[in-house]
Amino acid sequence: VLKRLRVQAGLERAELGRRTGYSAATITSYEVGRRIPNAKFIRQADEVLGAGGLLIDFIEDMERAQYPASFRDAAKLEKEAAGLHMYDALVINGLLQTKEYARTVFTNWRPLLDVDTVEQRVAARLARQEIFERKSTPTISFVMEEALLRKGLGGQAVMRGQLEQILLTGQRRNVEIQIMPSDCEEHPALSGTFTLISTAKGRRIAYVDAYKGSRLYSDDQTVREMEERYGILRAQALTPRKSLALVEKLLGET
C-alpha cells in the first residue's frame, strides 16, 4: 500500500525519505516487508502522500507485528497499563534500555537474528519507552539484580550509557528503581523474571517471560502469588534512593 501510494504521488523513494527523515534504503525495506515501519513514520507518510488516514489504519497492526508473537498481547497491555511492576534477573528491563544496550542484547540472541530483524526489534523496544511520556502517567517500578549493573554487557561505553539512562529514568516522579544486592541471603524470585500489570479498569495480570514459553496469567491465585513475591523483593532490595546512589557509584567506576 505504501509503495502504491508513493508511486501515485509521483515520488521516488529518496524524496519520500527526505520528507520523512528516513533513508531511501529504509523506505525500500518498509515497502518490501524487510522492516516494519513505526507509528511516527506511518503518520508522516500518510500526510506526505495525502493518504487521508489510509496508512494510519495500519498502525495498530504494525505495532503488533514488530514484536515477537509471544510478547504481542503483553505489549498491548503494557502500553495501556495504569501500573507496571517488573523484576529482572537476566538483562536490564527493556523500558530502561538504551539503543546501544538493546542492540547488544539482540545481537547476542541465539539463534542469530538477521540485521534487519535486530534493527526492527531495537526500534520496537525504544518505542515502548513512550509510556514515560503518556499524559495519564502510569505508576512504574523496577527491581533488578545488582549483577546486571556489573555485567559489562556490550563493553564499558555501552554500560556507562546504560547506567546514565537508569539514573535519568529513576528521577521521574512516577518511577521507582530498586536494586537487589548480590549479597542478599534470601531471595523470593529464584524462578526468574516477571512483570505485574494493572489496568485502568482494575484488571491485574502477571506476565512471565521464558524461552518459548512466555505467557500471561490473569487468574487470581497466580497473580496473588506473583504480587506476594514482588512485595518481598521490594522489601529485601535497596530503597530507591540507595539504589540510585549505587548506580551513581558504579557509573563513577566505569
Side-chain angles (χ1 to χ4, degrees), residues 119-191:
E119 292 307 311
Q120 171 193 311
R121 296 212 178 162
V122 169
R125 181 150 291 183
L126 297 181
R128 289 170 54 202
Q129 297 173 10
E130 293 175 3
I131 193 171
F132 293 118
E133 308 300 333
R134 242 177 49 190
K135 285 188 177 180
S136 53
T137 313
T139 300
I140 304 176
S141 70
F142 302 88
V143 177
M144 70 183 79
E145 293 294 326
E146 180 182 346
L148 300 183
L149 306 177
R150 299 180 181 274
K151 197 175 236 182
L153 192 63
Q156 188 177 44
V158 170
M159 280 307 301
R160 182 171 182 81
Q162 184 58 68
L163 293 172
E164 289 173 346
Q165 175 91 329
I166 291 171
L167 278 177
L168 286 172
T169 307
Q171 292 168 14
R172 291 177 177 271
R173 292 178 59 199
N174 65 315
V175 175
E176 289 190 336
I177 296 174
Q178 292 181 254
I179 308 301
M180 192 69 171
S182 296
D183 61 0
C184 190
E185 296 182 359
E186 299 178 357
H187 202 300
L190 295 176
S191 57

Side-chain angles (χ1 to χ4, degrees), residues 22-198:
Y22 293 82
S23 68
T26 299
I27 303 300
T28 300
S29 292
Y30 289 160
E31 289 187 350
V32 302
R34 284 198 304 266
R35 293 179 62 179
I36 298 171
N38 58 44
K40 178 183 176 183
F41 169 79
I42 293 173
R43 291 190 179 94
Q44 290 175 319
D46 191 272
E47 182 177 351
V48 169
L49 299 175
L54 178 61
L55 290 177
I56 290 174
D57 290 341
F58 286 95
I59 287 179
E60 186 174 348
D61 288 338
M62 293 299 98
E63 287 181 339
R64 284 182 59 80
Q66 68 186 333
Y67 300 113
S70 61
F71 185 66
R72 286 173 188 166
D73 290 336
K76 180 173 172 53
L77 288 166
E78 177 186 88
K79 185 177 180 180
E80 301 168 354
L84 284 169
H85 306 284
M86 292 152 281
Y87 166 65
D88 293 283
L90 299 176
V91 295
I92 290 166
N93 193 277
L95 291 180
L96 294 172
Q97 290 179 11
T98 63
K99 180 187 292 187
E100 294 74 19
Y101 186 95
R103 185 174 287 116
T104 298
V105 170
F106 290 121
T107 300
N108 279 278
W109 208 270
R110 295 296 186 275
L112 287 170
L113 303 175
D114 61 72
V115 174
D116 284 330
T117 300
V118 168
E119 292 307 311
Q120 171 193 311
R121 296 212 178 162
V122 169
R125 181 150 291 183
L126 297 181
R128 289 170 54 202
Q129 297 173 10
E130 293 175 3
I131 193 171
F132 293 118
E133 308 300 333
R134 242 177 49 190
K135 285 188 177 180
S136 53
T137 313
T139 300
I140 304 176
S141 70
F142 302 88
V143 177
M144 70 183 79
E145 293 294 326
E146 180 182 346
L148 300 183
L149 306 177
R150 299 180 181 274
K151 197 175 236 182
L153 192 63
Q156 188 177 44
V158 170
M159 280 307 301
R160 182 171 182 81
Q162 184 58 68
L163 293 172
E164 289 173 346
Q165 175 91 329
I166 291 171
L167 278 177
L168 286 172
T169 307
Q171 292 168 14
R172 291 177 177 271
R173 292 178 59 199
N174 65 315
V175 175
E176 289 190 336
I177 296 174
Q178 292 181 254
I179 308 301
M180 192 69 171
S182 296
D183 61 0
C184 190
E185 296 182 359
E186 299 178 357
H187 202 300
L190 295 176
S191 57
T193 298
F194 64 91
T195 298
L196 296 169
I197 305 168
S198 58

Side-chain angles (χ1 to χ4, degrees), residues 156 160 163-164 167 245-254:
Q156 188 177 44
R160 182 171 182 81
L163 293 172
E164 289 173 346
L167 278 177
L246 174 60
V247 175
E248 193 167 7
K249 175 177 177 291
L250 292 174
L251 182 58
E253 295 173 357
T254 58

